[in-house]
Amino acid sequence: MIDRAGFMRASAGFGAGLILAFELPGCAKDADTARNVKEFVPNAWVRIAPDGTVTVVLSKSEMGQGVVMGLATIVAEELDAAIEHVRTEFAPAEPVYGDPGFGGDMVTGGSTSVSHSWSTLRKAGATARAMLVAAAAQQWKVDATSCTTRQSVIYHATSQRQASYGSVAEAAAGVPVPQSVPLKTTAQFSLIGKPRQRTDVPPKVNGTCQYGIDVRVPGMVYAAIARSPVFGGRVKHYDARNAKKISGVLQTVEVSNGVAVVAKNTWAAFQGRDALEIVWNEGQNATVSTDSLFAEAEHLARGRIGERLAASRGNPEAVSGTVIDAMYRGPFLAHATMEPMNATADVRDGRCTVWAPTQVQLRARALASKASGLPPEQCTIHTTFLGGGFGRRLEADYVQEAVEVSKAIGGPVKVMWSREDDTQHDFYRPMSVNTVRGVVAGGAIVALTHQVVSPSWLRRWFPAGMKNGVDVLDVLEVIDAPYAIPNFRATYIDHEHGIPVGSWRAPDANWNGFVTESFMDELAHAARADPLAFRLAHMEKSPRAAAVLRLAAEKAGWGQNQAGVAQGLAVTAWAGSFGAMVVDVSIEKKLPKVHRVVSAVDCGTVINPDIVVQQAQGATNFGLSAALTGKITLSKGRVEQSNFYDYTVLRLADAPAIEVHVVPSNETPTGIGEICTPPIAPAVGNALFALTGKRVRTLPFSDALV
Amino acid sequence: MISITVNGTRHDLEVPPDMPLLWVIRDELGMTGTKFGCGVAQCGCCTVHVDGKATRSCVMPVSAASGKQIHTIESLSNDNSHPIQRAWVAEQVPQCGYCQSGQIMAAAALLKRVAGEPSDAEISNAMTNICRCGTYDRIRSAIHRAARQA
Ligand code: FES
Ligand code: FES
């Protein structure tokens, strides 16, 4: 629990949060609620105003996954607050909001927003409730334990008295903070587990929700940056004469990663940027291509160069049976969040203020500090809503840029990325080459080896995630696949190269899951077994994974496919959760056509069942989009794709009907934002095999079926 | 000087004639409900109605919009009461929400165009906007719902 000193430090940031509300148009509602009133602030997470308004402070960013509703529900549950009186605001970049699960960093990622906040927010709500009750009990001169609470009201039954939370808020501020508070049992939950409409939906159907791109501060100008087309390149020299002829262009400034054109509006900034003539020092990546990188990766794989052991049991070489060897190849992928990268910065008078759609507030602040030359305490980060994250906004490169430009021009500026910028300057889902060998005997897998060759992004992003040279995420869905195999070895080769890579929805699992679950199918066919029965026979030690697989198969009617349509299935575990799906696939226009997805998920205790379904559906489509046509390729060190016409994504006409079944559970809540991304591609690939007899081991499917 | 009429209000603006309507609406008029996603008529985030027709404003020069009736997401209703908005809330369509202004404007134009409830094929043909959060299933359901309630 946060101590008082901690929350006082944090509350310096609360004031700053309100300034945002005043400065932005369309936030009139927020401005109204930003009253100049004394609020009861029991801890950093919740405040209660005399009018009964409960403010929940969110240390997690809203990128579509539903934290605004989900986290507010957790606090309201233990607080016994009337949920209609609960509002939320995004936390400032302050260590008090750091996530212990990420070593104290502020991170929205890894499907951990609920699981990492669960006990902290329950305690925060319960503590606030206990202090409100204590304040009322003192006034009534009764024992606090004889009081009850419901819907933001405290009751004392024997004396028939009641008091609203708002009416005792001021008094509660004088009550000592209790050291420990009882939490509700599952049976006592009245909000958790019930479907409830998201409070962030109304502003998202009328255009008032404020994303990073929507920030407008008085006096603000706009900028676009020309970045080196080759990764790691630097400006040698440039000519801005033509850029300055564009109507609306104000000035150009060189920044660390290129040249910025500052203008009166976004359009002029884009036009001016395109008119710059820049000679680049392209650096060492100038000859890199995806072909050369895959050749390099296969060379490392075959020679087992730099191979590190990730896990091992028994002796895979000592057993005999039917041997299956395969190599799988996964492409780079862009995130393509719907809202391109952007940030607004104002560096003036010894202060640096940033408005950004970010998943990493403290990292954004550290980069703002570095770029502005001001100490972190003088840098403020306002988190806006995010038009998608998917891991891209775990990087704060675009914040640093905006601060550099603002510092150079001495005023507020919004740096806007075009879709082309966004596609060509991403931190990509790493390419990967996986070599697998399985031995089947007596209808079962007796040995399995799995070698992953992939560049580590954790090495840069979270070095503690490297254990003995193994990137712990890069071997997920390999070492933790839900199958008991007596002789097993997993190895990893960090294919270091100069192309920026990063986290991408269900990082690493999104690819390894394809390999593991496709190869399970290969082994099932080698054993002449039904893929469902074959998997279940190896899942005795993973009852929750087996349960979701059985449920999906049962709901989908596994084995009862119609003519011309094949079924495929897959199951994966991620972030403590389990997901399985059965897909119905045919072929249309040389692409798999997915008609229906029937999935089952187990994410422990469910906070809001409809958000679970939304995330399962969205994660499925995200994975499907990449599997069908997603591919970033390089030539001469440059990304060859630029916009949605050559980096194509799933649209409504090709989106399947997605049925989601949620396993009831009282286990601790676990992640739901990503669990359905890994299984979709292998399920489709397995269905394609059933349909055509052809095994696809290189994605996307669009390359395989031509 | 170019004059355009947005949501019934006329604006006289000093902007280059080739400036896309999208940036005029967003940066010059300060109406940020209409979004930017690609700039090349691919994603539909920037969809507005021009004389009642769904139009991708990122590729429409402001000069071509002059003299026409332009409507943005802000014009649908003051209180989320438009049948499409009600259906979007009932089906809980938005996730990140960024694409939804465009989706809603495309859906509103579709419902104006077809009599009665559109078929699934009509919805697939008309709704070509991208949603990276993958809310497609619910967009489809919400259009059916709105058509039935309208
Ligand atoms: S921004 Fe206009 S269609 Fe994408
Ligand atoms: S809701 Fe996020 S892009 Fe559609």
Side-chain angles (χ1 to χ4, degrees):
Chain A
M1 195 80 330
I2 302 308
D3 60 15
R4 291 227 170 182
F7 105 69
M8 288 311 292
R9 276 196 303 277
S11 55
F14 295 150
L18 298 177
I19 291 166
L20 172 71
F22 285 118
E23 283 180 356
L24 296 177
C27 278
K29 261 211 198 112
D30 280 340
D32 291 346
T33 50
R35 300 128 304 174
N36 241 336
V37 291
K38 272 198 195 146
E39 291 187 307
F40 165 45
V41 191
N43 49 59
W45 308 99
V46 57
R47 313 197 300 271
I48 296 147
D51 71 354
T53 302
V54 174
T55 300
V56 172
V57 183
L58 306 171
S59 63
K60 302 296 176 185
S61 306
E62 178 61 67
M63 44 195 190
Q65 82 284 39
V67 289
V68 162
M69 195 67 220
L71 300 186
T73 301
I74 297 172
V75 174
E77 178 70 71
E78 292 289 351
L79 179 57
D80 265 344
I83 189 94
E84 327 65 83
H85 298 161
V86 177
R87 61 184 286 280
T88 56
E89 65 188 32
F90 298 117
E94 293 290 341
V96 69
Y97 292 109
D99 183 338
F102 285 104
D105 203 353
M106 285 176 81
V107 174
T108 306
S111 292
T112 59
S113 290
V114 165
S115 61
H116 287 189
S117 305
W118 175 242
S119 66
T120 305
L121 292 186
R122 290 182 73 191
K123 276 187 219 149
T127 303
R129 177 189 168 277
M131 292 169 76
L132 292 160
V133 169
Q138 256 170 31
Q139 284 175 5
W140 297 334
K141 302 197 171 32
V142 301
D143 187 357
T145 55
S146 62
C147 297
T148 57
T149 51
R150 189 161 43 84
Q151 292 277 339
S152 292
V153 179
I154 305 157
Y155 298 91
H156 187 251
T158 29
S159 64
Q160 294 205 330
R161 274 177 295 195
Q162 65 179 69
S164 71
Y165 282 2
S167 70
V168 293
E170 211 171 327
V175 170
V177 182
Q179 283 314 302
S180 75
V181 282
L183 300 180
K184 288 186 180 179
T185 61
T186 306
Q188 291 171 314
F189 288 158
S190 62
L191 298 172
I192 287 174
K194 311 269 184 311
R196 186 171 306 282
Q197 293 194 338
R198 291 170 59 151
T199 48
D200 60 336
V201 159
K204 289 176 176 174
V205 301
N206 61 23
T208 57
C209 184
Q210 299 278 315
Y211 302 88
I213 193 177
D214 302 325
V215 170
R216 291 167 70 87
V217 280
M220 178 183 89
V221 291
Y222 302 77
I225 296 178
R227 303 170 189 84
S228 170
V230 175
F231 294 108
R234 291 273 169 262
V235 176
K236 205 184 258 173
H237 50 83
Y238 72 100
D239 181 345
R241 275 173 300 184
N242 286 338
K244 287 184 179 157
K245 283 184 204 147
I246 305 278
S247 158
V249 168
L250 300 168
Q251 66 182 109
T252 60
V253 291
E254 196 171 335
V255 289
S256 61
N257 67 343
V259 181
V261 174
V262 182
K264 283 195 212 153
N265 57 59
T266 314
W267 172 244
F270 283 164
Q271 299 266 94
R273 187 267 307 273
D274 294 347
L276 285 172
E277 284 160 39
I278 306 178
V279 176
W280 300 96
N281 190 341
E282 295 187 346
Q284 61 188 26
N285 292 320
T287 58
V288 169
S289 69
T290 359
D291 287 345
S292 70
L293 289 174
F294 273 100
E296 208 171 275
E298 286 170 31
H299 175 71
L300 295 175
R302 295 212 162 88
R304 301 179 65 170
I305 300 163
E307 187 177 68
R308 301 296 187 109
L309 187 65
S312 143
R313 300 188 279 280
N315 184 354
E317 275 76 30
V319 289
S320 56
T322 310
V323 178
I324 314 287
D325 282 298
M327 185 180 270
Y328 284 74
R329 292 170 189 82
F332 289 113
L333 293 170
H335 296 82
T337 59
M338 205 72 252
E339 178 192 20
M341 296 305 109
N342 66 83
T344 302
D346 187 0
V347 184
R348 254 188 304 182
D349 309 327
R351 285 216 60 86
C352 171
T353 311
V354 171
W355 295 263
T358 177
Q359 298 176 243
V360 281
Q361 288 75 5
L362 288 171
R363 287 172 187 240
R365 190 175 74 159
L367 285 177
S369 165
K370 181 178 148 200
S372 65
L374 295 165
E377 305 73 52
Q378 278 154 253
C379 302
T380 305
I381 307 291
H382 297 296
T383 303
T384 64
F385 279 84
L386 279 58
F390 315 130
R392 174 62 180 88
R393 291 179 161 105
L394 290 172
E395 308 290 345
D397 52 322
Y398 52 94
V399 169
Q400 175 175 346
E401 284 180 343
V403 172
E404 284 187 24
V405 178
S406 176
K407 188 183 180 195
I409 67 171
V413 62
K414 182 194 310 178
V415 173
M416 189 66 218
W417 292 41
S418 67
R419 176 58 57 191
E420 290 77 8
D421 296 335
D422 197 88
T423 307
Q424 300 185 336
H425 298 277
D426 201 344
F427 291 78
Y428 302 91
R429 193 286 293 270
M431 59 172 278
S432 198
V433 169
N434 296 45
T435 306
V436 278
R437 158 176 279 231
V439 184
V440 173
I445 308 170
V446 290
L448 180 69
T449 59
H450 191 148
Q451 178 207 59
V452 179
V453 181
S454 187
S456 167
W457 61 274
L458 277 192
R459 176 172 16 88
R460 169 183 59 84
W461 198 88
F462 189 66
M466 299 297 287
K467 303 274 188 247
N468 295 326
V470 175
D471 176 323
V472 295
L473 289 183
D474 250 323
V475 290
L476 286 185
E477 299 302 330
V478 176
I479 59 171
D480 58 338
Y483 306 111
I485 295 164
N487 299 288
F488 176 78
R489 186 174 62 242
T491 55
Y492 175 68
I493 296 174
D494 185 359
H495 178 202
E496 207 170 338
H497 54 57
I499 309 308
V501 288
S503 175
W504 192 96
R505 199 168 193 170
D508 308 304
N510 59 51
W511 170 251
N512 290 338
F514 175 71
V515 179
T516 293
E517 281 301 283
S518 299
F519 197 58
M520 277 306 285
D521 231 56
E522 295 201 51
L523 297 175
H525 288 290
R528 299 183 195 287
D530 168 68
L532 172 65
F534 184 75
R535 280 177 175 76
L536 289 172
H538 293 85
M539 293 175 86
E540 261 165 40
K541 291 192 181 131
S542 307
R544 290 175 74 187
V548 293
L549 182 57
R550 269 196 206 94
L551 182 59
E554 176 204 319
K555 297 287 183 186
W558 174 253
Q560 301 152 31
N561 52 306
Q562 289 159 358
V565 177
Q567 291 177 316
L569 58 75
V571 56
T572 44
W574 169 258
S577 295
F578 304 88
M581 52 184 66
V582 174
V583 297
D584 293 347
V585 175
S586 65
I587 295 184
E588 275 177 28
K589 294 183 221 146
K590 295 192 172 163
L591 268 183
K593 168 82 182 174
V594 183
H595 301 274
R596 184 178 73 140
V597 178
V598 177
S599 51
V601 294
D602 175 356
C603 57
T605 297
V606 165
I607 312 301
N608 186 321
D610 194 45
I611 296 181
V612 168
V613 174
Q614 283 181 6
Q615 285 303 297
Q617 292 172 326
T620 301
N621 280 334
F622 196 79
L624 179 60
S625 179
L628 290 179
T629 62
K631 171 172 79 156
I632 289 288
T633 57
L634 303 164
S635 166
K636 296 197 177 126
R638 293 157 165 79
V639 168
E640 295 185 294
Q641 292 71 28
S642 56
N643 204 317
F644 290 122
Y645 47 78
D646 53 11
Y647 187 73
T648 53
V649 296
L650 188 75
R651 295 177 195 252
L652 181 139
D654 297 317
I658 304 174
E659 201 178 298
V660 181
H661 301 275
V662 184
V663 175
S665 169
N666 291 335
E667 301 278 340
T668 310
T670 45
I672 190 60
E674 299 168 292
I675 183 63
C676 286
T677 296
I680 182 67
V684 172
N686 295 340
L688 273 182
F689 181 80
L691 201 58
T692 66
K694 184 173 178 214
R695 177 63 59 184
V696 178
R697 300 193 186 88
T698 299
L699 290 183
F701 289 116
S702 54
D703 280 2
L705 298 186
V706 286
Chain B
M1 182 82 76
I2 289 177
S3 62
I4 55 168
T5 305
V6 181
N7 302 339
T9 306
R10 185 188 150 130
H11 303 269
D12 297 316
L13 302 159
E14 288 291 351
V15 293
D18 63 341
M19 185 165 168
L21 178 60
L22 168 66
W23 297 113
V24 174
I25 291 171
R26 286 187 57 84
D27 292 353
E28 302 295 322
L29 304 183
M31 299 166 69
T32 56
T34 307
K35 302 301 187 204
F36 164 67
C38 71
V40 292
Q42 278 282 323
C43 73
C45 283
C46 63
T47 305
V48 299
H49 293 177
V50 178
D51 287 344
K53 273 177 55 188
T55 303
R56 295 188 171 173
S57 63
C58 66
V59 291
M60 180 178 230
V62 62
S63 54
S66 190
K68 304 204 159 78
Q69 288 296 327
I70 297 154
H71 285 95
T72 67
I73 181 79
E74 285 89 352
S75 72
L76 273 193
S77 73
N78 294 325
D79 52 0
N80 287 0
S81 61
H82 187 284
I84 297 266
Q85 291 172 313
R86 291 208 315 261
W88 244 247
V89 172
E91 295 288 337
Q92 293 284 288
V93 175
Q95 290 186 27
C96 86
Y98 190 81
C99 72
Q100 300 295 344
S101 294
Q103 305 279 7
I104 286 170
M105 293 308 277
L110 169 67
L111 290 195
K112 247 190 259 170
R113 190 156 53 75
V114 301
E117 192 174 336
S119 66
D120 273 332
E122 281 174 308
I123 294 173
S124 292
N125 282 334
M127 297 299 293
T128 57
N129 293 23
I130 294 171
C131 173
R132 288 292 287 150
C133 296
T135 64
Y136 298 122
D137 230 3
R138 292 178 186 232
I139 289 174
R140 190 185 287 283
S141 312
I143 292 174
H144 283 302
R145 177 190 284 261
R148 285 195 299 267
Q149 286 173 350

